[in-house]
Amino acid sequence: MTGLRVVPTRRHGQERLYVCLGDGRNLAWYDREAARVNLLSEASRDAVLEALGPFLTGPVTVGPPPVPTPAELARLTLPPDDDLAPNRPGEALHLALDRDPAPAYRLRPDPRRRALAAEQAVGEALDRLDGAGWHTLHSIPLPGGDRLHHLAIGPAGLFALHTVHARKQRVTVTDPMVAVGRHEPDPLLRRVRADADRASHALTAEVHPVLALVGPADVRVTAPLRSVRVLQDTDLPDLARVGGVLKPADIEALHAAARDRRTWGRG
């Protein structure tokens, strides 16, 4: 058996190495923390261990994986190029800045860097909910060049979050307009709702729209909002205290669907 690839993934400090065929199908994965190589087929044992040889850090247990849940089975058959779970907060902005970095000298900071910092702040806050039964996906590409900044899936339901950098600025929300500092008001809540609607259509589940403001000096909402939340990044841990709507099995199934790029179409 030739042409095997070893693909590393890392999330919340846990690292796994997947051994894949050339067409992306998984044969096995190495869990460093558990010191275990999980084989999907005993026939591939020798080839898998040979491919993992440079990465093994000591004695390991080799054998079939524990009985997987349906969501785990879906993940194992997901080609790495279609798996959105490894995306970092602001993944698209990272790539854009790598491809087209800002000039070394410019009068004003590159706005992409402020947007990236905001997405990182929100993403880190959401990732910390993982221990409370939540999963978060970042920078989900959508057809037409759009993307969801964050999708949080947990006991309280599904939330599509659009992030805005508002550091030390006053934010005024007059549905659907959002004014940040001295900038002209923008009908941003229409975009936030549209993102949630697209996610709801793709996942065939209710998705709640959220505008996430990072570091504002003050937030003023002039009238009750229709079907959208406006939260600061410091408020996001409160999502873990919202009453339960989804069962753990539902959360896992929705996460398995959402992490598959093919669910969203080719962005």
Side-chain angles (χ1 to χ4, degrees), residues 25-43:
R25 286 179 295 157
N26 290 307
L27 293 177
W29 74 93
Y30 170 38
D31 187 332
R32 288 185 186 274
E33 185 175 330
R36 179 180 178 85
V37 176
N38 296 281
L39 295 170
L40 298 182
S41 171
E42 185 64 28

Side-chain angles (χ1 to χ4, degrees), residues 177-206:
M177 310 302 287
V178 178
V180 180
R182 297 181 180 178
H183 295 283
E184 288 295 317
D186 179 51
L188 190 56
L189 294 190
R190 290 178 186 163
R191 161 76 185 276
V192 176
R193 291 189 180 102
D195 286 348
D197 286 344
R198 295 178 76 175
S200 180
H201 178 76
L203 298 170
T204 62
E206 184 180 13

Side-chain angles (χ1 to χ4, degrees), residues 31 105 125 162 197 226 234 244:
D31 187 332
Y105 300 99
H162 185 90
D197 286 344
R226 177 179 58 84
T234 53

Side-chain angles (χ1 to χ4, degrees), residues 111-201:
R112 296 175 299 175
R113 294 205 173 275
R114 291 198 298 269
L116 176 57
E119 290 192 38
Q120 288 174 323
V122 170
E124 290 167 4
L126 292 171
D127 284 343
R128 285 194 289 271
L129 298 178
D130 185 66
W134 289 74
H135 293 296
T136 303
L137 298 167
H138 308 288
S139 204
I140 297 174
L142 300 172
D146 293 332
R147 64 188 177 90
L148 292 180
H149 291 181
H150 313 278
L151 179 70
I153 307 169
L158 293 89
F159 298 85
L161 295 96
H162 185 90
T163 300
V164 171
H165 183 277
R167 186 74 62 190
K168 297 182 180 179
Q169 299 180 85
R170 180 176 182 177
V171 179
T172 302
V173 181
T174 305
D175 197 355
M177 310 302 287
V178 178
V180 180
R182 297 181 180 178
H183 295 283
E184 288 295 317
D186 179 51
L188 190 56
L189 294 190
R190 290 178 186 163
R191 161 76 185 276
V192 176
R193 291 189 180 102
D195 286 348
D197 286 344
R198 295 178 76 175
S200 180
H201 178 76

